[in-house]
Amino acid sequence: MQIERITNFLRDITVNNNRQWFNENKAEYLAVRKEFEEGINKAIIRIAEFDSSIKHITVKDATYRFYRDTRFSPDKSPYKTHLGAYIAAHGKKALHGGYYIHIEPDHCLLCCGNYWLPTNILTSCRNEIMRNIDTWRGIVENDSFINLFGRSGEGDWESSKGFGLDILKSAPSGFPRDYEFIQYLRMKDYCCWTQVPENFFANDSWLDEMVKVFKVGKPMMDFINAVIDDYE
């Protein structure tokens, strides 16, 4: 990817987030969008080599509109300041987890997992973790996982790595507060992420490094997806 061109445009839109500037620079936006989508197409092909469940996914299935939905937000800026693609077997709007590539100036991320699960599915995930705690711990407490993503609840979206976006302050209702591994039951989502430098995407070797990251996160995602798929 021409990552410098992409991030330069995103920096520009950050300080010129209005329709007039965007319309005057729409040709550059379209060029940047095309460059990003070509990179995502390559990523889908490479991910499909080790996860055949996403081989049918297209770039359109994975990418998002650049225009923000401002209806319920106090921030009325019309455009996003990042580009993202969520490559998931059941589509980007499904609960089934997938792989997320986030490009934002000074905050590029590779992410894997499931987001904003409803309470009934979370309860089932928590029960499954308790029933198979040794398997779960083997997945999320091994050195490779911790080195890339850290431990549950230690980071947030702005951190260089993290595991779990939203964490309850206490045990969820119906679960024992004194459970030895309560940190995993307090999670409200099961996603993990690691930050990469902008020049990570500068040449096609980024695809090899991306695969290494996603392969580490995939067993955790597979564990949770096995529960989610009973509901979808």
Side-chain angles (χ1 to χ4, degrees):
M1 274 191 275
Q2 296 182 46
I3 190 62
E4 186 174 357
R5 185 177 189 180
I6 293 172
T7 53
N8 282 344
F9 175 81
L10 293 173
R11 285 187 171 91
D12 287 342
I13 195 74
T14 299
V15 297
N16 299 282
N17 204 322
N18 60 79
R19 289 180 174 82
Q20 179 179 343
W21 185 91
F22 181 81
N23 289 333
E24 291 171 353
N25 293 271
K26 192 167 185 179
E28 181 62 11
Y29 164 72
L30 293 174
V32 162
R33 183 82 187 189
K34 182 175 184 290
E35 185 68 23
F36 174 70
E37 291 181 349
E38 288 175 353
I40 296 306
N41 186 57
K42 292 178 181 178
I44 291 170
I45 292 169
R46 290 299 304 276
I47 294 169
E49 292 175 1
F50 67 89
D51 186 347
S52 61
S53 72
I54 62 93
K55 65 182 179 181
H56 64 286
I57 294 296
T58 67
V59 169
K60 185 177 180 179
D61 295 327
T63 51
Y64 297 91
R65 296 175 73 249
F66 195 59
Y67 304 89
R68 295 181 63 248
D69 183 352
T70 62
R71 289 174 298 171
F72 308 108
S73 173
D75 178 3
K76 299 303 180 182
S77 302
Y79 307 105
K80 297 176 182 176
T81 56
H82 67 272
L83 292 172
Y86 188 48
I87 303 165
H90 297 179
K92 59 178 177 275
K93 294 184 179 180
L95 296 174
H96 183 98
Y99 311 91
Y100 179 62
I101 298 170
H102 181 90
I103 294 182
E104 181 179 4
D106 302 317
H107 194 57
C108 296
L109 303 169
L110 297 177
C111 318
C112 182
N114 311 268
Y115 303 84
W116 315 123
L117 296 173
T119 301
N120 62 325
I121 298 180
L122 268 175
T123 298
S124 294
C125 290
R126 290 161 176 158
N127 284 324
E128 190 70 13
I129 288 171
M130 289 185 73
R131 280 194 295 266
N132 299 278
I133 189 60
D134 290 340
T135 299
W136 176 255
R137 291 184 65 208
I139 292 170
V140 302
E141 293 182 8
N142 67 73
D143 289 343
S144 295
F145 190 94
I146 291 173
N147 287 340
L148 267 178
F149 307 119
R151 298 180 184 275
S152 168
E154 289 184 344
D156 58 33
W157 188 244
E158 301 305 319
S159 304
S160 61
K161 59 183 178 181
F163 177 35
L165 281 167
D166 198 1
I167 310 292
L168 293 172
K169 293 182 179 180
S170 60
S173 177
F175 289 87
R177 295 188 176 186
D178 60 351
Y179 181 59
E180 184 178 1
F181 306 107
I182 193 64
Q183 69 269 29
Y184 300 125
L185 308 187
R186 290 170 52 221
M187 299 174 72
K188 295 181 70 175
D189 56 78
Y190 294 94
C191 64
C192 54
W193 64 93
T194 189
Q195 187 169 345
V196 295
E198 290 175 20
N199 62 9
F200 175 89
F201 300 96
N203 56 64
D204 279 351
S205 64
W206 76 270
L207 295 163
D208 296 326
E209 297 305 311
M210 173 202 71
V211 166
K212 292 177 185 177
V213 171
F214 286 158
K215 280 186 174 180
V216 174
K218 184 176 183 293
M220 182 278 298
M221 182 178 71
D222 288 345
F223 186 105
I224 300 299
N225 274 343
V227 179
I228 293 172
D229 288 348
D230 289 339
Y231 292 84
E232 289 196 321

